[in-house]
């Protein structure tokens, strides 16, 4: 199984017949769904667990990514519900994440723990796979998804939302959208040499930007977009993919 979808808030399945599988990793157990699409098995992982039970700061990101690696996954598309602090990106819009700024505080962020291993660093020149991002743009046209553009993702620790002054700061640093889960997920995938890309679904204006954050906004926006986005992921997966068009598998610098 080479391809996986990690579904964020509101994206809990890909709407096809599937069976569940529990994968044991050294970081813990992970339950995934395996879906058969046109004769190929695609892995689906609900980031927050089935029923959205794990809050962002307690997600076992290492177990999740390790489980995908153990299944043979090399290509991951994920979705992320995000707030917007960029006036050009409004609730309901879809954006492609092209970089991140990390404001998380207390989560395990790496597989590289030293010990018997040499010291390893990970190149973040292109954190999100440029090949998967390009292919998402191309296939999204066929699903009539109006992608508003690329976006820089600010990752906060959560689970609280941000203060208005935090949002002012993130905006001044170049952030476009804010969420709580993309770091360390993107980093861990890169550490294991996988291609990883995220599509952001804007569910609300960030605190203090315009109006108030409401749960109603979040759920409505997600249900409109999730099917088209999943179909686009599957379209890309259905085409030819190889790791020669990006540097994802060569990102580790060993000292
Ligand atoms: N802030 C952080 N995470 C989020 C938001 C937000 O405004 N909306 C959806 N996830």
């Amino acid at each position: 199984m080479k391809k996986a979808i990690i579904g964020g808030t509101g994206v809990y399945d890909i709407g096809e017949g599937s069976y569940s599988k529990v994968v044991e990793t050294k970081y813990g157990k992970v339950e995934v769904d395996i879906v058969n699409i046109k004769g190929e098995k695609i892995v689906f992982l609900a980031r927050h667990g089935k029923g959205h039970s794990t809050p962002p700061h307690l997600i076992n990101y290492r177990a999740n990514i390790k489980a995908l690696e153990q299944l043979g996954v090399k290509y991951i598309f994920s979705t992320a519900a995000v707030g917007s602090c960029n006036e050009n990106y409004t609730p309901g819009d879809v954006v492609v994440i092209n970089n991140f700024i990390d404001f998380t505080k207390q989560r395990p962020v790496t597989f590289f723990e030293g010990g018997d291993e040499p010291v390893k660093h990970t190149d973040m020149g292109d954190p999100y796979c440029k090949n998967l991002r390009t292919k998402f743009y191309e296939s999204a046209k066929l699903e009539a998804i109006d992608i508003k553009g690329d976006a820089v993702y600010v990752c906060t620790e959560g689970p609280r939302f941000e203060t208005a002054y935090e949002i002012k700061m993130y905006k001044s640093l170049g952030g476009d959208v804010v969420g709580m889960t993309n770091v360390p997920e993107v980093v861990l995938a890169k550490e294991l040499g996988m291609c990883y890309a995220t599509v952001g679904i804007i569910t609300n204006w960030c605190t203090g930007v315009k109006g108030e954050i409401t749960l109603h906004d979040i759920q409505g926006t997600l249900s409109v977009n999730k099917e088209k986005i999943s179909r686009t992921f599957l379209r890309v997966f259905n085409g030819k993919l190889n790791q020669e068009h990006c540097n994802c598998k060569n990102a580790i610098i060993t000292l």
Side-chain angles (χ1 to χ4, degrees):
M1 285 172 254
K2 288 207 160 134
K3 300 157 189 172
I5 294 173
I6 301 179
T9 302
V11 183
Y12 302 119
D13 60 61
I14 42 180
E16 310 267 345
S18 64
Y19 63 93
S20 299
K21 184 178 172 79
V22 174
V23 185
E24 303 229 10
T25 77
K26 67 182 271 199
Y27 302 100
K29 288 185 188 168
V30 178
E31 188 178 353
V32 297
D33 285 337
I34 314 285
V35 193
N36 202 314
I37 310 270
K38 298 188 180 165
E40 185 176 3
K41 288 179 175 166
I42 309 272
V43 186
F44 180 83
L45 170 63
R47 180 184 290 124
H48 295 266
K50 290 186 175 174
H52 200 90
S53 49
T54 314
H57 63 301
L58 296 179
I59 290 171
N60 193 342
Y61 296 96
R62 291 193 297 188
N64 283 353
I65 298 296
K66 195 72 190 170
L68 296 183
E69 187 202 36
Q70 287 176 205
L71 290 169
V73 169
K74 292 201 169 358
Y75 305 97
I76 304 172
F77 268 124
S78 72
T79 64
V82 289
S84 172
C85 56
N86 175 337
E87 270 89 12
N88 297 318
Y89 297 155
T90 60
D93 285 351
V94 174
V95 293
V96 175
I97 309 300
N98 70 341
N99 222 306
F100 70 79
I101 307 176
D102 179 13
F103 276 97
T104 63
K105 297 188 174 124
Q106 48 154 17
R107 355 180 134 175
V109 291
T110 182
F111 288 117
F112 301 153
E113 302 279 25
D116 294 339
E117 294 252 298
V119 173
K120 294 181 191 168
H121 299 284
T122 311
D123 181 1
M124 285 287 122
D126 233 339
Y128 298 87
C129 175
K130 65 173 195 267
N131 189 37
L132 285 185
R133 286 188 285 126
T134 306
K135 285 186 180 291
F136 183 81
Y137 269 98
E138 288 164 7
S139 291
K141 287 187 197 137
L142 303 170
E143 291 292 342
I145 301 180
D146 181 18
I147 304 173
K148 285 294 146 72
D150 288 341
V152 174
Y153 180 108
V154 176
C155 195
T156 64
E157 184 64 21
R160 68 170 176 84
F161 284 122
E162 302 70 40
T163 66
Y165 277 81
E166 286 172 326
I167 293 298
K168 267 192 194 182
M169 174 181 72
Y170 297 150
K171 197 176 162 182
S172 74
L173 293 176
D176 298 303
V177 297
V178 182
M180 302 175 189
T181 56
N182 226 240
V183 182
E185 197 171 271
V186 55
V187 177
L188 295 169
K190 188 75 89 202
E191 286 186 352
L192 297 185
M194 296 156 147
C195 293
Y196 176 98
T198 299
V199 173
I201 305 172
I202 298 181
T203 51
N204 56 279
W205 291 111
C206 288
T207 313
V209 178
K210 285 181 191 177
E212 287 175 4
I213 296 176
T214 66
L215 190 61
H216 174 75
D217 284 348
I218 293 184
Q219 283 170 345
T221 306
L222 289 168
S223 62
V224 171
N225 286 305
K226 69 175 190 181
E227 269 151 41
K228 282 183 174 183
I229 291 173
S230 302
R231 279 204 303 270
T232 307
F233 291 163
L234 295 177
R235 260 184 200 278
V236 175
F237 283 168
N238 204 24
K240 277 213 176 88
L241 285 175
N242 72 53
Q243 292 198 297
E244 302 310 314
H245 304 300
C246 59
N247 288 323
C248 299
K249 71 174 182 353
N250 304 316
I252 308 306
I253 297 155
T254 305
L255 296 185

